Amino acid sequence: MHEVSIIQSLIEQIEGHMEEKGFHKVHRVTLDIGEMSGVVPDALEFAFDVCCQRTRIEGAKLTINYIPVRARCSSCNGEFTVKGSVFACSHCGRSDVEVLSGFELNLKEMEVD
Amino acid sequence: MASRVIRIEENLLKKNEAAASENRKLLTQQKILSLNLLSSPGSGKTTLVVKTIEGLRSELRLAVIEGDLQTRFDAEKVEAAGAPVIQVNTGNTCHLDAQAINRCLARLPLDSLDVLLIENVGNLVCPAAFDLGEHMKVVILSVTEGEDKPLKYPPIFRAAEVVVVSKVDLLPHVDFDLTRCRRFLKEVAPAATVFKLSCKSGEGLREWLSWIKEQASKLGTPGDAA
């Protein structure tokens, strides 16, 4: 449900970059969205289509990179993909882990003119 | 001119993040322990807030920010318990954001506060994404909801420093498996401190209140209302 607020904030950010960097057309917007970011990619796409209407970004395509949750174990140093929300190390079972990815909510890049 | 790709690498919640760090800086400078209380609707957040005020008001100065889509019902209950409260009605928005908290902080007597409780909008999904600038996130899970919530809503539980299992007086009447719940919490949020309490019977409240006092004193709060 908060996907709309996130897209509204994205549009403001893009418009800011347009002003700042002096481009007039956005062809594509690429986002990095982590699996644990709490947003639904489909809902973001829907919100993007709706919110971009009658803005300078209207017509831009949205690409979403959905990033899996990866973590590194602080005990054995092994890296693993977190599956089913289980953050324990898949190698040694310890739960003291450092999360490496999966919480992203980023504007990665834009294709512009 | 041919189109070109420009790299940005910027958080989509940049504005929220900036407001959140400003809030956190201010709250830390003022030595005000701030807790963001998160849960689904009906888990007993407001009752816990009221019990917390009643239990600590002789020792600590508390204030509350109440987030709800509509009404001042919760704010009235909190006021009756004797703490200043600011009600934020979000309209149709499903979460509080850091800018809203920023505006509230401007209206609170920060020089004479030790603890700020922020009762977020009842929702286990959206509020997880919005850092408010709090010191800790506390997720409340009532035993009437089912023990599988931590695995069903992992982002919010993963973000929690504290989990409060509430309404434990109802355990004999519901099919809530506390052992499974603890196991699930260990999988999603192994570092979280877990409390189990009942505002009705009072079980576990003392531990919760002592924990708040301890956290407040860690921040350097004077610890008395004088």
Side-chain angles (χ1 to χ4, degrees):
Chain A
M1 195 170 148
H2 60 305
E3 283 80 358
V4 172
S5 340
I6 288 171
I7 291 295
Q8 281 167 340
S9 146
L10 167 69
I11 292 172
E12 273 180 41
Q13 265 165 265
I14 295 174
E15 285 175 337
H17 285 296
M18 290 175 93
E19 290 294 321
E20 194 186 307
K21 301 185 175 71
F23 53 84
H24 60 278
K25 177 87 186 142
V26 180
H27 298 288
R28 181 176 300 278
V29 175
T30 306
L31 307 181
D32 278 345
I33 302 296
E35 265 177 23
M36 280 270 171
S37 65
V39 304
V40 183
D42 282 354
L44 280 182
E45 282 170 18
F46 176 75
F48 185 79
D49 287 343
V50 174
C51 297
C52 284
Q53 286 171 21
R54 287 184 292 281
T55 71
R56 295 161 68 188
I57 302 142
E58 184 163 10
K61 298 269 177 291
L62 182 69
T63 302
I64 295 177
N65 300 327
Y66 204 42
I67 316 274
V69 187
R70 297 272 303 162
R72 184 189 296 123
C73 177
S74 306
S75 306
C76 77
N77 240 358
E79 289 187 13
F80 60 99
T81 301
V82 174
K83 293 201 180 105
S85 312
V86 178
F87 281 81
C89 174
S90 64
H91 308 287
C92 73
R94 299 276 184 85
S95 54
D96 185 12
V97 304
E98 179 199 350
V99 175
L100 303 172
S101 69
F103 286 80
E104 296 79 0
L105 212 50
N106 291 334
L107 167 56
K108 185 182 165 65
E109 59 188 29
M110 295 190 287
E111 193 183 324
V112 300
D113 261 336
Chain B
M1 195 168 87
S3 66
R4 61 199 157 107
V5 172
I6 51 173
R7 282 185 82 79
I8 309 282
E9 300 289 355
E10 191 172 78
N11 193 321
L12 293 183
L13 296 173
K14 203 173 86 170
K15 254 169 81 182
N16 188 76
E17 300 291 308
S21 3
E22 205 179 297
N23 293 345
R24 187 169 289 112
K25 198 173 146 202
L26 179 62
L27 289 162
T28 306
Q29 262 169 7
Q30 295 279 348
K31 300 182 174 33
I32 301 170
L33 172 71
S34 51
L35 304 177
N36 182 1
L37 307 181
L38 304 143
S39 79
S40 53
S43 66
K45 283 191 297 300
T46 310
T47 309
L48 183 62
V49 166
V50 167
K51 290 286 172 190
T52 305
I53 296 166
E54 289 171 355
L56 293 176
R57 67 185 166 198
S58 60
E59 300 165 71
L60 293 170
R61 298 159 299 182
L62 297 98
V64 179
I65 296 173
E66 278 291 339
D68 277 303
L69 301 193
Q70 303 287 346
T71 81
R72 270 188 57 82
F73 295 158
D74 287 356
E76 285 159 15
K77 287 183 206 160
V78 171
E79 256 159 11
V85 54
I86 297 183
Q87 175 79 55
V88 179
N89 282 137
T90 57
N92 288 318
T93 307
C94 47
H95 57 272
L96 287 174
D97 62 36
Q99 289 103 308
I101 300 304
N102 201 290
R103 290 190 290 274
C104 293
L105 292 181
R107 293 167 54 199
L108 282 168
L110 300 184
D111 287 337
S112 49
L113 280 187
D114 301 312
V115 178
L116 173 65
L117 303 174
I118 303 168
E119 186 178 338
N120 217 311
V121 177
N123 178 338
L124 279 180
V125 184
C126 316
F130 294 83
D131 182 7
L132 303 180
E134 73 280 333
H135 290 113
M136 279 181 256
K137 287 185 167 66
V138 179
V139 176
I140 297 142
L141 166 64
S142 64
V143 301
T144 52
E145 292 170 60
E147 72 275 352
D148 49 8
K149 286 286 185 291
L151 292 191
K152 283 186 172 169
Y153 299 88
I156 206 159
F157 282 93
R158 178 70 195 174
E161 276 90 5
V162 180
V163 176
V164 173
V165 179
S166 67
K167 306 189 188 180
V168 294
D169 56 297
L170 294 176
L171 276 173
H173 311 289
V174 293
D175 293 328
F176 186 94
D177 185 335
L178 198 59
T179 316
R180 276 186 89 208
C181 181
R182 282 192 188 277
R183 197 176 77 228
F184 294 156
L185 283 172
K186 199 133 195 77
E187 288 173 354
V188 184
T193 307
V194 180
F195 291 96
K196 109 184 207 297
L197 56 80
S198 160
C199 289
K200 199 113 194 155
S201 71
E203 180 188 340
L205 264 181
R206 186 181 303 175
E207 288 79 2
W208 161 249
L209 298 175
S210 322
W211 177 83
I212 293 184
K213 281 194 273 187
E214 193 189 312
Q215 298 306 314
S217 68
K218 271 191 201 163
L219 266 184
T221 312
D224 68 66

